[in-house]
Amino acid sequence: MRVLGIETSCDETGIAIYDSELGLLSHQLYSQVKLHADYGGVVPELASRDHVRKTLPLIRAALKEASSSAADIDGVAYTAGPGLAGALLVGAAIGRSLALAWQKPAIGVHHMEGHLLAPMLEANPPAFPFLALLVSGGHTQLVAVAGIGQYQLLGESIDDAAGEAFDKTAKLMGLDYPGGPLLAKMATAGNPTAHRFPRPMLDRPGLDFSFSGLKTAAANVIAKAGTDDQARADIAASFQQAVVDTLVAKCERALQQTGLNRLVVAGGVSANTSLRQQLAVLLQQRGGQVFYPRKEFCTDNGAMIAFAGHQRLVAGQQQDLAIAVQPRWPMEQLSPI
């Protein structure tokens, strides 16, 4: 089966084509970073309008890259949630309309399931069951995964997600949008022990996260700091270390609680070098393995949607004719395969 995947949940338009036998045939991605940079964050209406402009041209480019035509496509997958309602509707309307015109089945894909399954696109995919850390600008979750659609939420952020905390702290430091990757780059020149920031919620049981207090602590230090480059690098390094320590400690706690020995890490923050280094040490100590998508698939992309949609279409699942999205959509509501 050959599946066209469409991702338009936020500020990136991602299109890909996945084939059951040949794997990923094409991958097209357009980022709206420059569009939203002047506003310091995503403007939903602008995001939706840009998806309208970019989705069809990218679909044409993906078909050309895959040496395919509409007749070669056996199904269409699109992100149905969670995400920005207007942005989701663009991809859902286009995806559902193409499927209807081509007389092919369509499936609405859960955005976070796409991230969770993205490492399956790699040469050494993880076997079920495993623990997943989904960590991005909008989500920080720990999920026990028994199979596709068999998800148990173990813990999540009760306020700011880890990526959101990175971006907000970077903005306080005057870094351009999106600031998270810039803060991580600045941290490489800093001393991670220069400031002792809190490791939120490690002093209590459970697997939930909270990063708003850490962001506030960083804001207080930033307000007192000068413009010296080394001082700013030290703040960045200390902040990053606090986030990474918290994520790693919660992963260790979840691995112990579940007895699992395989960890999947996905989402934009999964590209963070410091996080990868510390998780590698943790899993090596436990005799386990950690799996990631390739870095270009850590952020939002069409490949993960094409793959996740393919799994469900092959299993016989598909949408009816209604064009429906779910800006809020708990992953536990998904049906198993």
Side-chain angles (χ1 to χ4, degrees):
M1 174 177 273
R2 187 166 295 188
V3 176
L4 169 69
I6 302 171
E7 156 61 23
T8 63
S9 65
C10 190
D11 60 344
E12 284 158 323
T13 311
I15 308 295
I17 297 174
Y18 180 84
D19 186 275
S20 298
E21 297 181 359
L22 302 176
L24 188 64
L25 299 180
S26 64
H27 168 238
Q28 297 285 324
L29 184 67
Y30 174 78
S31 174
Q32 299 178 1
V33 165
K34 291 182 179 179
L35 176 67
H36 301 289
D38 289 343
Y39 305 94
V42 177
V43 181
E45 178 64 19
L46 295 181
S48 302
R49 291 175 182 230
D50 211 41
H51 287 308
V52 171
R53 287 189 288 266
K54 297 298 192 300
T55 301
L56 285 175
L58 286 176
I59 289 174
R60 295 188 190 101
L63 287 169
K64 183 177 180 180
E65 182 185 358
S67 300
S68 299
S69 67
D72 299 314
I73 301 299
D74 301 305
V76 179
Y78 55 86
T79 303
L84 301 175
L88 290 168
L89 280 169
V90 175
I94 292 174
R96 195 66 199 80
S97 298
L98 287 176
L100 181 62
W102 295 343
Q103 298 183 321
K104 303 294 172 64
I107 188 77
V109 173
H110 193 290
H111 179 76
M112 297 311 294
E113 181 173 65
H115 276 302
L116 187 150
L117 297 178
M120 301 286 186
L121 289 162
E122 303 308 317
N124 179 35
F128 298 112
F130 55 77
L131 175 72
L133 171 66
L134 304 178
V135 57
S136 66
H139 300 83
T140 303
Q141 298 177 330
L142 280 166
V143 183
V145 181
I148 297 178
Q150 301 176 56
Y151 308 130
Q152 179 188 2
L153 180 64
L154 303 175
E156 62 183 339
S157 180
I158 61 175
D159 43 53
D160 291 352
E164 185 179 7
F166 262 100
D167 286 340
K168 287 182 176 179
T169 302
K171 187 174 183 179
L172 290 170
M173 297 182 72
L175 299 177
D176 291 337
Y177 170 85
L182 297 177
L183 187 149
K185 183 178 181 180
M186 179 184 288
T188 60
N191 176 6
T193 64
H195 302 278
R196 180 61 187 178
F197 289 127
R199 273 60 174 167
M201 298 184 73
L202 292 187
D203 59 348
R204 66 189 75 176
L207 295 171
D208 285 337
F209 301 89
S210 171
F211 292 105
S212 63
L214 172 57
K215 177 198 65 184
T216 301
N220 292 334
V221 173
I222 292 168
K224 298 175 184 177
T227 58
D228 176 74
D229 287 346
Q230 187 59 53
R232 287 160 52 80
D234 288 345
I235 294 172
S238 299
F239 172 82
Q240 176 178 259
Q241 191 63 54
V243 174
V244 170
D245 285 350
T246 302
L247 293 172
V248 172
K250 289 296 178 81
C251 284
E252 182 176 20
R253 192 178 291 182
L255 289 166
Q256 292 172 344
Q257 178 177 311
T258 61
L260 295 169
N261 217 23
R262 287 182 290 270
L263 174 67
V264 161
V265 189
V269 182
S270 69
N272 183 277
T273 301
S274 180
L275 177 63
R276 290 191 175 211
Q277 290 172 343
Q278 288 193 219
L279 285 175
V281 172
L282 171 64
L283 271 297
Q284 185 177 28
Q285 291 173 343
R286 295 181 58 85
Q289 291 178 283
V290 59
F291 301 84
Y292 302 92
R294 69 196 74 169
K295 289 201 173 183
E296 65 183 306
F297 293 161
C298 289
T299 53
D300 297 350
N301 63 87
M304 68 183 192
I305 302 305
F307 179 81
H310 170 271
Q311 306 308 306
R312 292 191 172 274
L313 287 168
V314 166
Q317 298 181 13
Q318 59 180 285
Q319 300 304 134
D320 56 24
L321 291 175
I323 297 173
V325 299
Q326 299 187 63
R328 295 184 181 275
W329 188 5
M331 202 158 57
E332 307 96 290
Q333 293 180 358
L334 294 175
S335 59
I337 293 179

